[in-house]
Amino acid sequence: MKSPFVEVNLKKTKQTSEKSKNSYFNIENPYHAYDIESGEWFYHENLINKIRSIFEGKNAPKMIIVQGQKGSGKTSTLCKLEANPDLLGSKFRTTYIDYKERKSADKDAYLSYIYYSILKRLKKYEMVIDFTDYFACQKIALPDLTSFIQKIECTLPTDTQLLIIFDEFDTFLRKANISITDEIISFIKYILEKTSKVRLLLAGERQISGVARKANVHNLFDIAISINI
């Protein structure tokens, strides 16, 4: 059965159903990401405002999915969010992870990439966390990564949250082997079910829900809100 959705443009809102687990937002893209001004890519201000309003709303979801074709402004906007988390308000610390950067077939290498990406970003926030146990690890296993997230939650100031942005997530689901997919999905499931200060933003060019269905992990995404640009 097709999921009902909510269509949103800049002037009016039409809700087709209130019973759906999913909500879908369509936002008109006012420009092309490849336009350049003053040496910088434009970012999608409407998308940032929508993400912020969702996370600030009542019963805010722990995960948002952003879907947009190449050139729609998706990646430039997500990178803007990492560099300027205050665009989402004062409570977020952001870290950006691009799965196209990882070509290894080793599942531990993927988990290590997530770990070190978060670690590098937290250092820029000058967060003091005891990383002693992890520096000796060249590769990070799933229990190490979840323990790391637990330490982050204990260290984050009150009313502050970590937003982990996974870009090109559809590419990851399509190309990664099953052992890697299982580990990453387990990590996402852990965040959704066991954390209180971590939020997720998954992005891709294709319909992530459709790719997830083929990977047999679609049930995990039923509780997410999707934004199409």
Side-chain angles (χ1 to χ4, degrees):
M1 183 175 68
K2 229 176 180 182
S3 297
F5 60 90
V6 177
E7 289 185 349
V8 171
N9 59 37
L10 299 180
K11 295 183 178 179
K12 61 181 180 179
T13 301
K14 178 182 178 182
Q15 185 164 338
T16 61
S17 174
E18 296 179 353
K19 297 182 179 180
S20 174
K21 292 181 181 179
N22 304 76
S23 293
Y24 293 84
F25 294 93
N26 295 324
I27 298 179
E28 183 179 353
N29 187 2
Y31 62 87
H32 297 288
Y34 299 120
D35 292 334
I36 298 177
E37 182 178 273
S38 302
E40 295 184 4
W41 282 9
F42 285 106
Y43 68 93
H44 202 314
E45 185 176 0
N46 293 336
L47 174 58
I48 290 178
N49 291 338
K50 176 53 62 179
I51 292 171
R52 179 171 180 169
S53 69
I54 291 172
F55 277 138
E56 289 181 345
K58 292 183 178 179
N59 301 316
K62 299 188 74 172
M63 180 164 64
I64 292 175
I65 296 173
V66 174
Q67 300 168 138
Q69 295 300 314
K70 187 175 181 180
S72 63
K74 170 176 48 63
T75 295
S76 59
T77 300
L78 299 182
C79 290
K80 184 76 173 181
L81 281 181
E82 183 186 44
N84 301 273
D86 287 347
L87 291 172
L88 293 178
S90 60
K91 72 176 184 178
F92 279 104
R93 304 289 184 267
T94 55
T95 184
Y96 173 86
I97 297 170
D98 186 351
Y99 275 109
K100 280 188 175 179
E101 297 294 324
R102 298 306 306 168
K103 301 186 184 300
S104 171
D106 188 331
K107 65 181 180 181
D108 292 337
Y110 270 88
L111 295 176
S112 298
Y113 175 54
I114 294 173
Y115 164 73
Y116 285 110
S117 296
I118 297 173
L119 175 61
K120 180 180 178 181
R121 188 62 185 164
L122 291 182
K123 285 183 176 180
K124 292 187 177 182
Y125 289 117
E126 299 182 349
M127 288 182 59
V128 179
I129 302 176
D130 181 11
F131 296 121
T132 306
D133 296 337
Y134 300 95
F135 275 130
C137 300
Q138 294 184 349
K139 289 187 177 181
I140 305 296
L142 184 59
D144 300 319
L145 191 56
T146 55
S147 295
F148 176 55
I149 294 297
Q150 288 175 4
K151 285 193 173 186
I152 292 174
E153 285 212 289
C154 292
T155 308
L156 283 170
T158 304
D159 297 329
T160 301
Q161 298 181 359
L162 174 66
L163 176 62
I164 304 176
I165 302 169
F166 291 112
D167 202 1
E168 306 297 344
F169 195 76
D170 58 327
T171 302
F172 164 74
L173 286 178
R174 286 187 290 110
K175 294 186 175 181
N177 65 49
I178 190 65
S179 64
I180 296 174
T181 302
D182 285 348
E183 290 287 272
I184 301 300
I185 293 302
S186 293
F187 175 63
I188 290 175
K189 186 176 181 180
Y190 168 80
I191 289 176
L192 295 177
E193 295 180 352
K194 303 295 184 181
T195 67
S196 60
K197 292 185 176 182
V198 183
R199 297 291 182 267
L200 295 172
L201 198 162
L202 310 183
E205 292 182 16
R206 301 188 180 187
Q207 293 287 333
I208 291 179
S209 57
V211 178
R213 189 168 289 105
K214 290 183 179 179
N216 201 30
V217 295
H218 58 283
N219 290 338
L220 187 64
F221 301 97
D222 283 345
I223 59 174
I225 287 182
S226 294
I227 304 173
N228 298 319
I229 62 173

